């Protein structure tokens, strides 16, 4: 984990209530797709944990929804302003288990870390058949579908209202796919639906309210077969076999 000041290079709306922010600064603490940053905002007591979508040697890209006062304040920020970040938080996905045809399942704000994951898998194994299932409520909320395609991933979209792709949920797409392993990030109801039908082992990245973001407060603990684990420190990625539902 590292703390630092990061300059905003981009802060643009990419879909309904969805913003993309690119930050310049030290990225050395980021080591795997699926990690997150914790952002301090002036006037707010708790930091905001947000998954990393992508990163390189100099920049971090995050995608966030404007769902409350904190993220609305972030949406009003402009290029040149700075933010205090804790980076390199949590453990990421283990891409060594992907196999030749993994499926990556993202629901809403769970989509961004799937991008970094797909990029990592394909950088190690360019011939891998990466299948991506993206779930949204409607066409207005869809983002990054083309970015996944540009990586070389096979993209499937599910919308609750049927405005794009399969009408329904990510599981309505998943049941028709053949895959060697699954990775997912999204809300708990989606996780429970995936757990009831997934054909292989896999990894879940949990979304939890967090206090500190680095394991000190124990506010985001969850039960596993190996005892309580902290989502911020021992997660957010947990393997299917260890989770107690």
């Amino acid at each position: 984990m590292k703390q630092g000041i990061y300059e905003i290079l981009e802060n643009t709306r990419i879909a309904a209530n969805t913003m993309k922010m690119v930050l310049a600064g030290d990225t050395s603490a980021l080591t795997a797709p699926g990690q997150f940053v914790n952002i301090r905002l002036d006037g707010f007591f708790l930091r905001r944990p947000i998954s990393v979508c992508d990163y390189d040697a100099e920049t971090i890209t995050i995608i966030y929804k404007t769902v409350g006062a904190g993220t609305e304040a972030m949406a009003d920020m402009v290029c040149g302003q700075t933010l205090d970040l804790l980076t390199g938080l949590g453990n990421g996905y283990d891409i060594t288990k992907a196999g030749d045809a993994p499926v990556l399942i993202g629901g809403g704000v769970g989509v961004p870390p799937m991008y970094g994951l797909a990029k990592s898998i394909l950088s190690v194994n360019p011939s891998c058949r990466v299948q991506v299932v993206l779930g949204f409520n409607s066409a207005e909320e869809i983002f990054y579908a083309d970015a996944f395609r540009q990586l070389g991933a096979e993209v499937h979209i599910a919308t609750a209202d049927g405005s794009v792709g399969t009408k329904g949920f990510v599981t309505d797409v998943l049941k028709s796919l053949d895959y060697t392993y699954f990775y997912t990030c999204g809300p708990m109801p989606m996780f429970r639906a995936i757990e009831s039908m997934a054909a292989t082992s896999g990894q879940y990245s949990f979304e939890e309210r967090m206090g500190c973001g680095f394991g000190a407060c124990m506010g985001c603990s969850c039960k596993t077969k190996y005892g309580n684990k902290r989502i911020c420190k021992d997660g957010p990625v947990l393997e299917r076999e260890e989770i107690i539902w």
Side-chain angles (χ1 to χ4, degrees), residues 167-218:
K167 182 177 182 179
F169 305 104
V170 294
T171 45
D172 294 308
V173 177
L174 183 64
K175 64 185 179 184
S176 65
L177 300 180
D178 292 322
Y179 50 94
T180 54
Y181 198 80
F182 74 85
Y183 300 91
T184 185
C185 183
M188 186 61 73
M190 186 185 87
F191 282 1
R192 294 187 182 279
I194 292 171
E195 181 63 19
S196 69
M197 63 172 295
T200 69
S201 184
Q203 295 170 35
Y204 293 89
S205 180
F206 285 81
E207 300 173 349
E208 286 285 343
R209 290 185 177 274
M210 297 178 185
C212 66
F214 48 85
C217 72
M218 304 297 291

Side-chain angles (χ1 to χ4, degrees), residues 234-245:
D234 307 309
V237 178
L238 300 176
E239 294 194 0
R240 181 183 191 184
E241 290 76 15
E242 67 181 303
I243 300 166
I244 296 176
W245 297 97

